[in-house]
Amino acid sequence: MARRATFFKTIRGTSPAVFIGGGYEFAVPGTESDRHPAAIGKLKRAYDLLGYDIFLLSPADAEVLRNTNIAASPGWRLPLDAPGLVVKDVPGGRLAFVLFPDSGHPDPAMEENLDRFARALRDEGKYNLIVGVSTWGATRESGFIEQHDAVFDIVLGSGEGPGYAGLYLKDNKVLWVRSFTKGKSLLSVAMPALPPAGTKVVWSPEISVKTLTAPLGDGLPSDPEIQAIFNQ
């Protein structure tokens, strides 16, 4: 966490970026009932200081907070029953981040509603990119991408299953990135320019978009304010 804070500060000082926490920051699947309130309280304080632009809790995260009687911070997004939308104005355009609803289990009706929601956003023609933020796990995310048209330009996934630095699917119309569960690296998506608003992008890997994995190893100094929280 302390090295993550250092990395975030470096990025904020050099380039425009949107920082996204996409679920399972408090609960590795299967550990929901095992977390101690003191440990979760420290994590909560640290995540508040990291200053995520979007911080979406999975059902497992919400269960951990309930079990430890710790309230989610203002601005954090609890698991949703319907798709959520966060719009971010960035240099060169406007991004639509669609927060995947999550009941904690496969839900075909919820998935169809998500597809309709994303299609409606695309029909508006106002956004340079439509980005999905998911807590579904790899199996559900993969099934959704396979079974639907390329309604999303990027899907940022989390939960059970492998991590991916970047898979290009649907004839390069969808970039799928999944976080790694160990928390020892950060994933980023960078592009030299945004596609025009209202168009459906076809990605050219390493040209129109690059995905990067940043290891949080010993070579990265720890942020002292975050480190102090865990030293208490």
Side-chain angles (χ1 to χ4, degrees), residues 82-166:
L85 175 64
V86 178
V87 176
K88 292 290 183 180
D89 290 317
V90 297
R94 173 171 288 187
L95 309 181
F97 291 91
V98 178
L99 310 184
F100 282 27
D102 195 350
S103 58
H105 53 79
D107 190 329
M110 183 175 282
E111 293 175 16
E112 290 303 319
N113 187 31
L114 175 64
D115 180 79
R116 288 192 296 270
F117 186 87
R119 287 176 183 273
L121 288 178
R122 189 165 295 284
D123 289 343
E124 291 178 13
K126 298 189 300 185
Y127 306 104
N128 301 76
L129 291 173
I130 298 178
V131 182
V133 182
S134 167
T135 56
W136 285 2
T139 299
R140 288 181 64 194
E141 291 164 6
S142 176
F144 179 86
I145 294 170
E146 290 176 1
Q147 295 164 22
H148 295 84
D149 290 338
V151 291
F152 290 100
D153 300 302
I154 301 171
V155 174
L156 305 176
S158 65
E160 292 185 282
Y164 298 128

Side-chain angles (χ1 to χ4, degrees), residues 6 10 40 51 69 75 77 82 133 143-144 146-147 155 192 195 197 201 212 224:
T6 299
T10 300
I40 297 303
N69 293 314
R77 302 299 184 106
V133 182
F144 179 86
E146 290 176 1
Q147 295 164 22
V155 174
V201 67
L212 306 170

Side-chain angles (χ1 to χ4, degrees), residues 1-6 217-228:
M1 291 285 290
R3 291 174 181 150
R4 188 185 306 194
T6 299
D218 293 339
L220 193 65
S222 296
D223 178 82
E225 188 175 12
I226 298 288
Q227 191 63 51

